[in-house]
């Protein structure tokens, strides 16, 4: 019995020593194409990206679980894109804080016209001598009732009372300010006019730890050595080989841990059995 106990303890000792002294392999990129820190700018496939790296806590809380630190990052770039918008014939647009109506004449037009839409109600309310609304005669004509200083009221035709609306014509290829942008008039048809301008847009690529990410036409695998550094490599095969090595190491470590536990328990069981009194 003592020999078996000693044997199991020896096996447990060897398993424990191997488990304690073994160095766990870690992911490490050799000569990565991208090796940058938080806030750096890096050129990838001819585009400039700004690197962002953040660290967050996940899990834990009030359920007794331990919180896990997760590191992730972003690649962000600004680029110029062409934007277009078609203004249909008869539609209303806002230019210089005023409303304008789009008017296009003819079947094969080369230009379109912006006709100011007068705020008749505001004009009437600003004139103390005029009623705040127009009147329409029996024959359909519209008038504005204006009272002079003597108290005499006169009916003024609406076309004479209100000012002529401003008109602005724009031909194909012409540029003008519209919506805070300098736009160019593109194709003009009887149905509408196309306005073209350039805008600055932002592209953000999310990067997760030990995940693949496509930037431009190239696929990378990402790795965060610490909470402020991002590495990316196109050698995905080498990364997968390291992952396989780590999995194999974990399997061996788990097996040795089971051997250690079983050996210790077996030693205790055998030692206990030695003290059981014999019936004979």
């Amino acid at each position: 019995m003592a020999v078996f106990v000693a044997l199991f303890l020896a096996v447990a000792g060897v398993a424990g020593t191997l488990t304690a002294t073994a160095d766990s392999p870690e992911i490490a990129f050799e000569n990565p194409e991208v090796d940058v820190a938080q806030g750096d700018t890096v050129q990838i496939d001819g585009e400039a990206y700004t690197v962002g790296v953040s660290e967050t806590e996940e899990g834990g809380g009030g359920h007794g679980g331990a919180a896990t630190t997760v590191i992730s990052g972003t690649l962000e770039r600004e680029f110029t894109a062409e934007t277009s918008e078609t203004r249909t014939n008869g539609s209303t647009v806002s230019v210089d804080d005023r409303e304008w109506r789009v008017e296009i004449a003819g079947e094969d037009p080369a230009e379109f016209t912006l006709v100011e839409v007068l705020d008749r109600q505001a004009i009437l309310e600003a004139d103390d001598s005029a009623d705040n609304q127009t009147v329409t005669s029996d024959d359909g004509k519209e008038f504005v009732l204006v009272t002079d200083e003597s108290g005499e009221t006169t009916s003024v035709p609406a076309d004479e009372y209100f000012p002529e609306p401003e008109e602005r014509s724009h031909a194909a290829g012409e540029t003008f300010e519209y919506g805070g942008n300098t736009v160019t008039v593109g194709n003009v048809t009887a149905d509408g006019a196309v306005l073209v301008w350039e805008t600055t847009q932002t592209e953000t690529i999310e990067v997760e730890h030990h995940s693949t990410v496509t930037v431009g036409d190239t696929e990378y695998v990402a790795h965060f050595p610490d909470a402020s550094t991002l590495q990316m490599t196109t050698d995905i095969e080498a990364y997968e080989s390291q992952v396989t090595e780590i999995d194999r190491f974990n399997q061996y470590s788990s097996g040795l841990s089971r051997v250690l536990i079983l050996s210790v328990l077996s030693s205790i069981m055998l030692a206990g059995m030695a003290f059981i009194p014999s019936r004979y």
Side-chain angles (χ1 to χ4, degrees):
M1 186 70 71
V3 172
F4 282 110
V5 170
L7 177 61
F8 280 120
L9 288 177
V11 171
V14 172
T17 301
L18 291 175
T19 302
T21 59
D23 292 330
S24 175
E26 297 180 352
I27 298 295
F29 289 173
E30 183 177 351
N31 299 322
E33 287 83 355
V34 176
D35 188 355
V36 289
Q38 157 70 19
D40 286 351
T41 299
V42 59
Q43 291 284 336
I44 303 177
D45 286 355
E47 300 290 344
Y49 292 86
T50 300
V51 179
V53 181
S54 60
E55 187 177 13
T56 58
E57 298 287 338
E58 293 186 358
H63 302 286
T68 302
T69 300
V70 177
I71 303 175
S72 60
T74 57
L75 294 173
E76 190 174 278
R77 74 179 179 100
E78 291 187 347
F79 63 97
T80 301
E82 186 177 272
T83 304
S84 64
E85 180 180 300
T86 300
R87 304 310 306 183
T88 58
N89 190 10
S91 64
T92 302
V93 299
S94 179
V95 180
D96 296 338
D97 297 325
R98 288 186 286 171
E99 296 297 313
W100 305 75
R101 185 177 60 258
V102 177
E103 294 187 358
I104 303 175
E107 293 298 323
D108 188 21
E111 65 178 18
F112 72 96
T113 302
L114 294 177
V115 180
E116 182 183 12
V117 179
L118 297 177
D119 189 347
R120 289 191 169 191
Q121 187 61 41
I123 294 174
L124 290 173
E125 292 177 355
D127 187 355
D128 295 334
S129 63
D131 283 358
N132 286 343
Q133 60 184 8
T134 60
V135 294
T136 304
S137 62
D138 294 338
D139 57 0
K141 294 182 179 180
E142 192 175 17
F143 295 88
V144 176
L145 299 179
V146 179
T147 303
D148 58 22
E149 296 178 355
S150 64
E152 182 179 353
T153 300
T154 305
S155 297
V156 180
D159 292 341
E160 296 179 12
Y161 175 84
F162 293 107
E164 282 291 324
E166 182 182 348
E167 295 186 3
R168 299 178 181 179
S169 295
H170 300 285
E174 184 181 340
T175 61
F176 66 98
E177 293 298 317
Y178 169 69
N181 299 294
T182 300
V183 303
T184 301
V185 182
N187 188 34
V188 180
T189 66
D191 295 327
V194 178
L195 306 180
V196 182
W197 68 95
E198 291 186 342
T199 59
T200 300
Q201 300 182 12
T202 301
E203 177 191 20
T204 301
I205 301 175
E206 302 290 338
V207 183
E208 297 182 358
H209 190 46
H210 293 169
S211 66
T212 57
V213 58
T214 300
V215 183
D217 298 325
T218 307
E219 186 177 37
Y220 299 86
V221 62
H223 171 61
F224 296 93
D226 52 56
S228 62
T229 305
L230 167 64
Q231 294 179 341
M232 297 197 308
T233 180
T234 56
D235 193 353
I236 300 178
E237 184 177 347
Y239 163 76
E240 292 176 344
S241 177
Q242 294 182 59
V243 171
T244 301
E245 183 182 350
I246 292 173
D247 291 341
R248 186 182 301 115
F249 174 85
N250 291 334
Q251 290 177 359
Y252 289 160
S253 296
S254 177
L256 288 173
S257 298
R258 287 195 292 269
V259 169
L260 172 63
I261 294 172
L262 289 175
S263 297
V264 172
L265 292 177
S266 297
S267 300
I268 294 173
M269 182 183 66
L270 289 174
M273 292 175 61
F275 291 97
I276 296 177
S278 175
R279 296 178 56 187
Y280 303 100

